[in-house]
Amino acid sequence: MATSIGSVPKVFTIPSVRDRYETVLARVGTIRNTYAIAPGIYAVGSPTSTSPVLVSANYKLSFDTLRFHLAGFSAWILVLDTRGINVWCAAGKQTFSTQEIVMSLERYRVEQLVDHQQIIVPQLAAVAVSAHEVKKRSGFTVIFGPVRASALQEFVANGNQADEAMRTVTFSMAERMVLVPVEFYLLSRQLLVILLVGVALSGIGPDAFSAAAMFDRGGIFVIITVAAVFSGALVVPLFLPWLPGRQFWIKGLFPGLLVGLWCLWGCDTVLSDFEKAAMALWSVAISSYLAMNFTGSTPFTSPSGVEYEMKRGLLVQCLCAAGALVLWLLSPFVI
Amino acid sequence: MDTFRYIEGAVTLQLDQEACIGCGSCVVVCPHRILYLEQRKAYITNVDLCMECGACQANCPTEAITVDPGVGCAAYIIAKWVNRLLGREIVKGCC
């Protein structure tokens, strides 16, 4: 649409088929690192010089979440260059920042676009956006909007007032589940290497190397490893509030132990005692590690806490994995 | 968020009430709602619920509230440890 600062792209508030398809790909992880839009000013609805200015990140998933919650609403959206990273993570990396806002307000001539000097910034960006600094350096007043874009219309209708719920982060079942696919995607390459190495090691025996042993033992190794990965990367996020322990590496022990118990009591016909113990330790190590890795996806783990638990968790995981390796390699020579 | 409790006694959040001017900015930005204002002074309700995001510190005009902020992510911390060993500085983020 034509404005006082030139032509501004107008965006829809309803997702297209392509938007939906790309959202799935971004959630799975394939296009996640390149899913960005051009920074600048966008219009939603029919904004005027008195309409609110909403600030967003240039990760398309963030931008889409915002615009799809603005049906029937008129506003300007100022998209910062956050290198295609979402609001909270970009603030953590100091790209959704005071500096970036001050620069963007100037570069995109927001002062000429609207009559007021207020911008609505997502609350989670407060990690790197100092309202008083923005005011000092640009003259614009930062109003911290709600945590979630879904509450934005209500927030504005209430005269830019947020209730406690709007200001609080949550981590519901749905919010946890949406994070699972990308965990698997990011893991896939390392997992493939581990599986290949594990299968190759499974062939080592008294007669140097046996292809038959490689397939038999290697096959079981693959099944147990995949089960352990599901324990750590799916079961842990799913049952997070109910798994015992505060530390994530401890939470991860339990589903890994279940897989381990299955090895100990369910694999009599195919595994020796050494191998059963090896696979039990292995599944516990994998599940515990992946659970610990999930700390990065939650909105309540503090870096000090994660560092604290990693010093303990990594030690246990390494000991379990080393024990598993020794037992697995020794087994063919013992029997 | 009451269903989620993380490790106790690990958090670096500190509030200097002498320096606090009672502007309430920290109360607004805290995503875990552990700060409140009473008679123009900020108070911390439950420090163990803090995730050290650093929003309060960034928005305190008098540096009364301090925290060692960062990303609570295992991959990030491993990268940090490796870098300390190798003497490198750049940490590639995970999100």
Side-chain angles (χ1 to χ4, degrees):
Chain A
M1 63 182 279
T3 70
S4 56
I5 58 160
S7 183
V8 163
K10 191 172 161 173
V11 292
F12 293 108
T13 55
I14 294 165
S16 67
V17 174
R18 186 174 163 191
D19 290 332
R20 289 182 200 275
Y21 173 66
E22 288 180 343
T23 296
V24 172
L25 292 186
R27 284 299 188 185
V28 169
T30 54
I31 59 168
R32 179 170 171 258
N33 292 336
T34 53
Y35 199 40
I37 57 163
I41 300 277
Y42 293 82
V44 62
S46 312
T48 65
S49 61
T50 56
S51 298
V53 176
L54 313 173
V55 184
S56 186
N58 79 326
Y59 182 37
K60 187 151 183 289
L61 218 50
S62 306
F63 180 71
D64 280 357
T65 306
L66 174 61
R67 68 188 172 107
F68 298 151
H69 281 106
L70 295 178
F73 193 77
S74 289
W76 304 103
I77 303 178
L78 171 62
V79 174
L80 306 180
D81 183 5
T82 60
R83 321 286 147 89
I85 306 286
N86 71 68
V87 173
W88 211 2
C89 284
K93 292 172 196 297
Q94 304 289 320
T95 53
F96 196 126
S97 62
T98 302
Q99 172 75 10
E100 183 63 30
I101 288 184
V102 172
M103 271 170 46
S104 300
L105 285 170
E106 202 171 315
R107 183 183 304 152
Y108 303 114
R109 292 180 289 163
V110 177
E111 212 153 321
Q112 293 172 40
L113 185 69
V114 289
D115 293 338
H116 58 81
Q117 286 213 306
Q118 287 185 341
I119 50 173
I120 299 179
V121 175
Q123 184 192 327
L124 295 181
V127 169
V129 176
S130 305
H132 57 278
E133 280 290 318
V134 173
K135 176 86 182 170
K136 207 188 317 175
R137 289 167 57 184
S138 69
F140 276 83
T141 303
V142 169
I143 298 164
F144 285 114
V147 168
R148 285 165 297 273
S150 55
L152 197 62
Q153 292 213 39
E154 192 189 341
F155 173 83
V156 174
N158 288 347
N160 295 336
Q161 293 297 313
D163 58 31
E164 284 297 293
M166 287 185 200
R167 293 234 173 271
T168 312
V169 287
T170 53
F171 204 35
S172 64
M173 178 71 84
E175 284 169 311
R176 297 198 299 276
M177 284 306 96
V178 81
L179 302 172
V180 168
V182 77
E183 293 285 319
F184 279 87
Y185 179 78
L186 293 176
L187 203 68
S188 55
R189 198 171 298 169
Q190 289 156 283
L191 184 61
L192 195 68
V193 172
I194 288 171
L195 290 179
L196 288 175
V197 171
V199 168
L201 289 179
S202 300
I204 298 171
D207 34 338
F209 191 84
S210 145
M214 184 180 83
F215 286 116
D216 286 350
R217 302 174 75 220
I220 291 164
F221 170 80
V222 170
I223 294 168
I224 302 290
T225 306
V226 170
V229 167
F230 272 87
S231 307
L234 175 68
V235 176
V236 169
L238 194 65
F239 294 101
L240 193 66
W242 306 288
L243 286 168
R246 294 273 172 97
Q247 302 180 43
F248 279 53
W249 72 271
I250 295 176
K251 286 177 182 288
L253 293 176
F254 299 99
L257 263 176
L258 278 185
V259 176
L261 292 177
W262 170 51
C263 301
L264 289 177
W265 278 286
C267 302
D268 265 343
T269 49
V270 282
L271 293 180
S272 72
D273 285 347
F274 269 51
E275 289 171 329
K276 283 192 269 186
M279 285 299 96
L281 285 172
W282 176 242
S283 71
V284 168
I286 292 283
S287 176
S288 172
Y289 176 77
L290 292 178
M292 198 176 74
N293 207 33
F294 192 64
T295 53
S297 306
T298 78
F300 69 96
T301 51
S302 61
S304 300
V306 176
E307 196 156 352
Y308 172 92
E309 78 158 88
M310 281 178 66
K311 285 178 185 157
R312 288 148 187 82
L314 269 181
L315 183 69
V316 173
Q317 290 148 17
C318 288
L319 286 176
C320 284
L325 182 69
V326 170
L327 288 170
W328 190 251
L329 288 176
L330 273 182
S331 175
F333 297 94
V334 178
I335 294 135
Chain B
M1 286 306 283
D2 287 347
T3 42
F4 296 106
R5 288 284 173 116
Y6 200 44
I7 302 164
E8 287 183 358
V11 167
T12 56
L13 180 70
Q14 278 180 332
L15 174 64
D16 173 7
Q17 266 169 345
E18 292 284 296
C20 177
I21 53 165
C23 71
S25 296
C26 57
V27 179
V28 170
V29 296
C30 177
H32 287 285
R33 317 310 296 151
I34 61 166
L35 295 156
Y36 69 99
L37 214 57
E38 206 173 276
Q39 291 171 341
R40 301 205 60 78
K41 288 284 175 196
Y43 291 86
I44 300 170
T45 53
N46 190 341
V47 74
D48 289 320
L49 289 181
C50 173
M51 63 171 291
E52 300 180 321
C53 71
C56 53
Q57 174 173 269
N59 281 280
C60 179
T62 60
E63 294 172 23
I65 196 154
T66 55
V67 64
D68 185 9
V71 186
C73 160
Y76 179 84
I77 288 168
I78 291 178
K80 209 172 74 178
W81 286 346
V82 170
N83 283 4
R84 205 179 295 161
L85 285 177
L86 300 178
R88 285 187 315 205
E89 279 192 356
I90 302 152
V91 174
K92 233 183 121 216
C94 40
C95 58

